[in-house]
Amino acid sequence: MPLSVSLSIEGDTTVIELEGELDAKTAPDFHQTIEKAAGHGTSTVEIRMAGVGYMASAGLRSLVFAQQKVGEHVTIKVVGAIEPVSRTIRTAGLDRSIVLTDD
Amino acid sequence: MDEAVKTARMSAELEVPATLGALGDIAALVLRLAGGAGLGKGASYRIRLAVDELATNIVMHGYRGGDGRITVRGRSGPGRVQISIEDRAPAFDPVQGRLPPEPHTAPERRRIGGLGIHLALTSVDEFDYVRRDGRNISTLTVMAEGTDPCPPRP
């Protein structure tokens, strides 16, 4: 299943909305959007993942890449991830640096 | 009372080129077997994730982007799915090659990668690896009532 990625700005937040499956095949599309988001210079990058039904470790690499691109002073939020996806993020310990929220 | 989940003993085999494009076919096979075994959403997700991670690792690191084949064999029975993944890349034991996460390293300094094998091994209930006749054979088992949905944090 492909991944659709959209990018928008809401106030001081850059919003990336993902829908589909995030794996080694589709992660490069997400990476391209992260590069664009990093250029916006907002204080928060919000990644809406409610529409992501499956995420492999390639998605974790994307989240680490995102934090590296935007810098440590920018907050990255992952919003609405289904339980197995947030479990994957917690298993990697990434919830220590990335804010995981339901909404 | 809920109607009993219909389960069936199934077996299946798939040989695909070692490319990222083949991951979807592998996932479809695994999910079909998980459905046949009556696995719930969580257990189906775990077996799919584990097989996907090992297959991705074979494509990216085993054959190093070169030509190769991956054979996936699976069987399911009531409440249990077992999948074996076979390749002819250089010997690689996932248990030895596991790279645990680095939760105490700041994300911007973290290595990117290496988590897939860790995720695979923490998603299954049983794991076995053998090197036989020039082939790597990993066998993964997930049960309907199995692994804690969130393993201990690293």
PDB file of all heavy atoms in Angstrom, chain A residues 68-89:
ATOM      1  N   GLN A  68      17.114  15.000  13.509  1.00  0.00           N
ATOM      2  CA  GLN A  68      18.446  15.469  13.114  1.00  0.00           C
ATOM      3  C   GLN A  68      18.356  16.658  12.162  1.00  0.00           C
ATOM      4  O   GLN A  68      19.158  17.585  12.235  1.00  0.00           O
ATOM      5  CB  GLN A  68      19.232  14.321  12.469  1.00  0.00           C
ATOM      6  CG  GLN A  68      19.609  13.243  13.480  1.00  0.00           C
ATOM      7  CD  GLN A  68      20.284  12.030  12.848  1.00  0.00           C
ATOM      8  OE1 GLN A  68      20.188  11.812  11.641  1.00  0.00           O
ATOM      9  NE2 GLN A  68      20.941  11.236  13.663  1.00  0.00           N
ATOM     10  N   LYS A  69      17.369  16.635  11.286  1.00  0.00           N
ATOM     11  CA  LYS A  69      17.246  17.711  10.296  1.00  0.00           C
ATOM     12  C   LYS A  69      16.769  19.022  10.926  1.00  0.00           C
ATOM     13  O   LYS A  69      17.251  20.093  10.570  1.00  0.00           O
ATOM     14  CB  LYS A  69      16.251  17.322   9.186  1.00  0.00           C
ATOM     15  CG  LYS A  69      16.743  16.305   8.208  1.00  0.00           C
ATOM     16  CD  LYS A  69      18.043  16.657   7.544  1.00  0.00           C
ATOM     17  CE  LYS A  69      17.893  17.656   6.435  1.00  0.00           C
ATOM     18  NZ  LYS A  69      19.200  17.843   5.724  1.00  0.00           N
ATOM     19  N   VAL A  70      15.787  18.925  11.860  1.00  0.00           N
ATOM     20  CA  VAL A  70      15.212  20.172  12.397  1.00  0.00           C
ATOM     21  C   VAL A  70      16.020  20.719  13.567  1.00  0.00           C
ATOM     22  O   VAL A  70      15.888  21.890  13.909  1.00  0.00           O
ATOM     23  CB  VAL A  70      13.737  19.987  12.832  1.00  0.00           C
ATOM     24  CG1 VAL A  70      12.878  19.565  11.651  1.00  0.00           C
ATOM     25  CG2 VAL A  70      13.610  19.002  13.986  1.00  0.00           C
ATOM     26  N   GLY A  71      16.845  19.861  14.194  1.00  0.00           N
ATOM     27  CA  GLY A  71      17.660  20.316  15.325  1.00  0.00           C
ATOM     28  C   GLY A  71      16.938  20.084  16.645  1.00  0.00           C
ATOM     29  O   GLY A  71      15.725  19.920  16.692  1.00  0.00           O
ATOM     30  N   GLU A  72      17.721  20.083  17.738  1.00  0.00           N
ATOM     31  CA  GLU A  72      17.153  19.683  19.031  1.00  0.00           C
ATOM     32  C   GLU A  72      16.216  20.729  19.626  1.00  0.00           C
ATOM     33  O   GLU A  72      15.417  20.428  20.503  1.00  0.00           O
ATOM     34  CB  GLU A  72      18.268  19.349  20.023  1.00  0.00           C
ATOM     35  CG  GLU A  72      19.208  20.492  20.288  1.00  0.00           C
ATOM     36  CD  GLU A  72      20.424  20.028  21.082  1.00  0.00           C
ATOM     37  OE1 GLU A  72      21.172  19.168  20.579  1.00  0.00           O
ATOM     38  OE2 GLU A  72      20.608  20.523  22.186  1.00  0.00           O
ATOM     39  N   HIS A  73      16.292  21.983  19.133  1.00  0.00           N
ATOM     40  CA  HIS A  73      15.423  23.034  19.686  1.00  0.00           C
ATOM     41  C   HIS A  73      14.010  22.978  19.113  1.00  0.00           C
ATOM     42  O   HIS A  73      13.135  23.711  19.573  1.00  0.00           O
ATOM     43  CB  HIS A  73      16.047  24.405  19.407  1.00  0.00           C
ATOM     44  CG  HIS A  73      16.313  24.643  17.956  1.00  0.00           C
ATOM     45  ND1 HIS A  73      17.346  24.012  17.286  1.00  0.00           N
ATOM     46  CD2 HIS A  73      15.666  25.380  17.035  1.00  0.00           C
ATOM     47  CE1 HIS A  73      17.318  24.381  16.021  1.00  0.00           C
ATOM     48  NE2 HIS A  73      16.311  25.204  15.834  1.00  0.00           N
ATOM     49  N   VAL A  74      13.787  22.173  18.102  1.00  0.00           N
ATOM     50  CA  VAL A  74      12.448  22.052  17.508  1.00  0.00           C
ATOM     51  C   VAL A  74      11.771  20.799  18.065  1.00  0.00           C
ATOM     52  O   VAL A  74      12.370  19.721  18.107  1.00  0.00           O
ATOM     53  CB  VAL A  74      12.542  21.961  15.964  1.00  0.00           C
ATOM     54  CG1 VAL A  74      11.165  21.701  15.349  1.00  0.00           C
ATOM     55  CG2 VAL A  74      13.141  23.237  15.389  1.00  0.00           C
ATOM     56  N   THR A  75      10.523  20.952  18.532  1.00  0.00           N
ATOM     57  CA  THR A  75       9.774  19.828  19.091  1.00  0.00           C
ATOM     58  C   THR A  75       9.133  19.027  17.961  1.00  0.00           C
ATOM     59  O   THR A  75       8.491  19.599  17.077  1.00  0.00           O
ATOM     60  CB  THR A  75       8.659  20.338  20.026  1.00  0.00           C
ATOM     61  OG1 THR A  75       9.275  21.110  21.050  1.00  0.00           O
ATOM     62  CG2 THR A  75       7.885  19.181  20.643  1.00  0.00           C
ATOM     63  N   ILE A  76       9.317  17.720  18.017  1.00  0.00           N
ATOM     64  CA  ILE A  76       8.623  16.852  17.066  1.00  0.00           C
ATOM     65  C   ILE A  76       7.533  16.110  17.819  1.00  0.00           C
ATOM     66  O   ILE A  76       7.790  15.476  18.850  1.00  0.00           O
ATOM     67  CB  ILE A  76       9.595  15.867  16.391  1.00  0.00           C
ATOM     68  CG1 ILE A  76      10.563  16.651  15.505  1.00  0.00           C
ATOM     69  CG2 ILE A  76       8.818  14.841  15.568  1.00  0.00           C
ATOM     70  CD1 ILE A  76      11.396  15.829  14.596  1.00  0.00           C
ATOM     71  N   LYS A  77       6.310  16.231  17.298  1.00  0.00           N
ATOM     72  CA  LYS A  77       5.178  15.533  17.900  1.00  0.00           C
ATOM     73  C   LYS A  77       4.678  14.484  16.921  1.00  0.00           C
ATOM     74  O   LYS A  77       4.539  14.772  15.734  1.00  0.00           O
ATOM     75  CB  LYS A  77       4.019  16.509  18.150  1.00  0.00           C
ATOM     76  CG  LYS A  77       4.149  17.357  19.364  1.00  0.00           C
ATOM     77  CD  LYS A  77       2.842  18.127  19.539  1.00  0.00           C
ATOM     78  CE  LYS A  77       2.994  19.153  20.648  1.00  0.00           C
ATOM     79  NZ  LYS A  77       1.818  20.022  20.722  1.00  0.00           N
ATOM     80  N   VAL A  78       4.382  13.293  17.446  1.00  0.00           N
ATOM     81  CA  VAL A  78       3.710  12.272  16.641  1.00  0.00           C
ATOM     82  C   VAL A  78       2.295  12.161  17.200  1.00  0.00           C
ATOM     83  O   VAL A  78       2.111  11.869  18.387  1.00  0.00           O
ATOM     84  CB  VAL A  78       4.440  10.922  16.704  1.00  0.00           C
ATOM     85  CG1 VAL A  78       3.589   9.814  16.099  1.00  0.00           C
ATOM     86  CG2 VAL A  78       5.781  11.013  15.962  1.00  0.00           C
ATOM     87  N   VAL A  79       1.318  12.430  16.372  1.00  0.00           N
ATOM     88  CA  VAL A  79      -0.057  12.521  16.843  1.00  0.00           C
ATOM     89  C   VAL A  79      -0.924  11.408  16.254  1.00  0.00           C
ATOM     90  O   VAL A  79      -0.901  11.152  15.048  1.00  0.00           O
ATOM     91  CB  VAL A  79      -0.653  13.897  16.440  1.00  0.00           C
ATOM     92  CG1 VAL A  79      -2.107  14.004  16.881  1.00  0.00           C
ATOM     93  CG2 VAL A  79       0.169  15.021  17.055  1.00  0.00           C
ATOM     94  N   GLY A  80      -1.679  10.744  17.138  1.00  0.00           N
ATOM     95  CA  GLY A  80      -2.722   9.819  16.694  1.00  0.00           C
ATOM     96  C   GLY A  80      -2.254   8.460  16.209  1.00  0.00           C
ATOM     97  O   GLY A  80      -3.035   7.743  15.573  1.00  0.00           O
ATOM     98  N   ALA A  81      -1.010   8.088  16.514  1.00  0.00           N
ATOM     99  CA  ALA A  81      -0.517   6.788  16.023  1.00  0.00           C
ATOM    100  C   ALA A  81      -1.323   5.638  16.648  1.00  0.00           C
ATOM    101  O   ALA A  81      -1.645   5.677  17.838  1.00  0.00           O
ATOM    102  CB  ALA A  81       0.960   6.628  16.361  1.00  0.00           C
ATOM    103  N   ILE A  82      -1.652   4.622  15.842  1.00  0.00           N
ATOM    104  CA  ILE A  82      -2.335   3.454  16.390  1.00  0.00           C
ATOM    105  C   ILE A  82      -1.380   2.712  17.328  1.00  0.00           C
ATOM    106  O   ILE A  82      -0.162   2.905  17.273  1.00  0.00           O
ATOM    107  CB  ILE A  82      -2.854   2.513  15.278  1.00  0.00           C
ATOM    108  CG1 ILE A  82      -1.699   1.962  14.433  1.00  0.00           C
ATOM    109  CG2 ILE A  82      -3.884   3.230  14.401  1.00  0.00           C
ATOM    110  CD1 ILE A  82      -2.129   0.866  13.455  1.00  0.00           C
ATOM    111  N   GLU A  83      -1.945   1.843  18.178  1.00  0.00           N
ATOM    112  CA  GLU A  83      -1.153   1.226  19.251  1.00  0.00           C
ATOM    113  C   GLU A  83       0.106   0.500  18.746  1.00  0.00           C
ATOM    114  O   GLU A  83       1.186   0.718  19.301  1.00  0.00           O
ATOM    115  CB  GLU A  83      -2.049   0.297  20.079  1.00  0.00           C
ATOM    116  CG  GLU A  83      -1.512   0.010  21.474  1.00  0.00           C
ATOM    117  CD  GLU A  83      -0.349  -0.969  21.486  1.00  0.00           C
ATOM    118  OE1 GLU A  83      -0.318  -1.889  20.649  1.00  0.00           O
ATOM    119  OE2 GLU A  83       0.544  -0.793  22.338  1.00  0.00           O
ATOM    120  N   PRO A  84       0.005  -0.355  17.708  1.00  0.00           N
ATOM    121  CA  PRO A  84       1.241  -1.048  17.298  1.00  0.00           C
ATOM    122  C   PRO A  84       2.316  -0.096  16.789  1.00  0.00           C
ATOM    123  O   PRO A  84       3.512  -0.370  16.928  1.00  0.00           O
ATOM    124  CB  PRO A  84       0.775  -1.986  16.174  1.00  0.00           C
ATOM    125  CG  PRO A  84      -0.704  -2.035  16.244  1.00  0.00           C
ATOM    126  CD  PRO A  84      -1.166  -0.784  16.917  1.00  0.00           C
ATOM    127  N   VAL A  85       1.915   1.026  16.216  1.00  0.00           N
ATOM    128  CA  VAL A  85       2.897   1.998  15.732  1.00  0.00           C
ATOM    129  C   VAL A  85       3.558   2.712  16.916  1.00  0.00           C
ATOM    130  O   VAL A  85       4.789   2.854  16.970  1.00  0.00           O
ATOM    131  CB  VAL A  85       2.232   3.020  14.771  1.00  0.00           C
ATOM    132  CG1 VAL A  85       3.174   4.175  14.464  1.00  0.00           C
ATOM    133  CG2 VAL A  85       1.802   2.328  13.478  1.00  0.00           C
ATOM    134  N   SER A  86       2.745   3.116  17.905  1.00  0.00           N
ATOM    135  CA  SER A  86       3.364   3.785  19.063  1.00  0.00           C
ATOM    136  C   SER A  86       4.205   2.788  19.866  1.00  0.00           C
ATOM    137  O   SER A  86       5.227   3.148  20.438  1.00  0.00           O
ATOM    138  CB  SER A  86       2.328   4.481  19.938  1.00  0.00           C
ATOM    139  OG  SER A  86       1.366   3.592  20.391  1.00  0.00           O
ATOM    140  N   ARG A  87       3.797   1.513  19.852  1.00  0.00           N
ATOM    141  CA  ARG A  87       4.609   0.477  20.514  1.00  0.00           C
ATOM    142  C   ARG A  87       5.993   0.406  19.870  1.00  0.00           C
ATOM    143  O   ARG A  87       7.015   0.314  20.563  1.00  0.00           O
ATOM    144  CB  ARG A  87       3.915  -0.883  20.383  1.00  0.00           C
ATOM    145  CG  ARG A  87       4.785  -2.073  20.790  1.00  0.00           C
ATOM    146  CD  ARG A  87       4.151  -3.390  20.308  1.00  0.00           C
ATOM    147  NE  ARG A  87       4.889  -4.552  20.770  1.00  0.00           N
ATOM    148  CZ  ARG A  87       5.861  -5.140  20.083  1.00  0.00           C
ATOM    149  NH1 ARG A  87       6.248  -4.653  18.922  1.00  0.00           N
ATOM    150  NH2 ARG A  87       6.467  -6.190  20.579  1.00  0.00           N
ATOM    151  N   THR A  88       6.018   0.464  18.536  1.00  0.00           N
ATOM    152  CA  THR A  88       7.295   0.411  17.822  1.00  0.00           C
ATOM    153  C   THR A  88       8.168   1.603  18.207  1.00  0.00           C
ATOM    154  O   THR A  88       9.366   1.468  18.440  1.00  0.00           O
ATOM    155  CB  THR A  88       7.036   0.389  16.303  1.00  0.00           C
ATOM    156  OG1 THR A  88       6.273  -0.778  15.989  1.00  0.00           O
ATOM    157  CG2 THR A  88       8.334   0.347  15.518  1.00  0.00           C
ATOM    158  N   ILE A  89       7.555   2.775  18.322  1.00  0.00           N
ATOM    159  CA  ILE A  89       8.308   3.986  18.698  1.00  0.00           C
ATOM    160  C   ILE A  89       8.843   3.848  20.129  1.00  0.00           C
ATOM    161  O   ILE A  89       9.997   4.170  20.421  1.00  0.00           O
ATOM    162  CB  ILE A  89       7.398   5.232  18.555  1.00  0.00           C
ATOM    163  CG1 ILE A  89       7.087   5.475  17.076  1.00  0.00           C
ATOM    164  CG2 ILE A  89       8.051   6.461  19.184  1.00  0.00           C
ATOM    165  CD1 ILE A  89       6.022   6.523  16.816  1.00  0.00           C
TER     166      ILE A  89
END
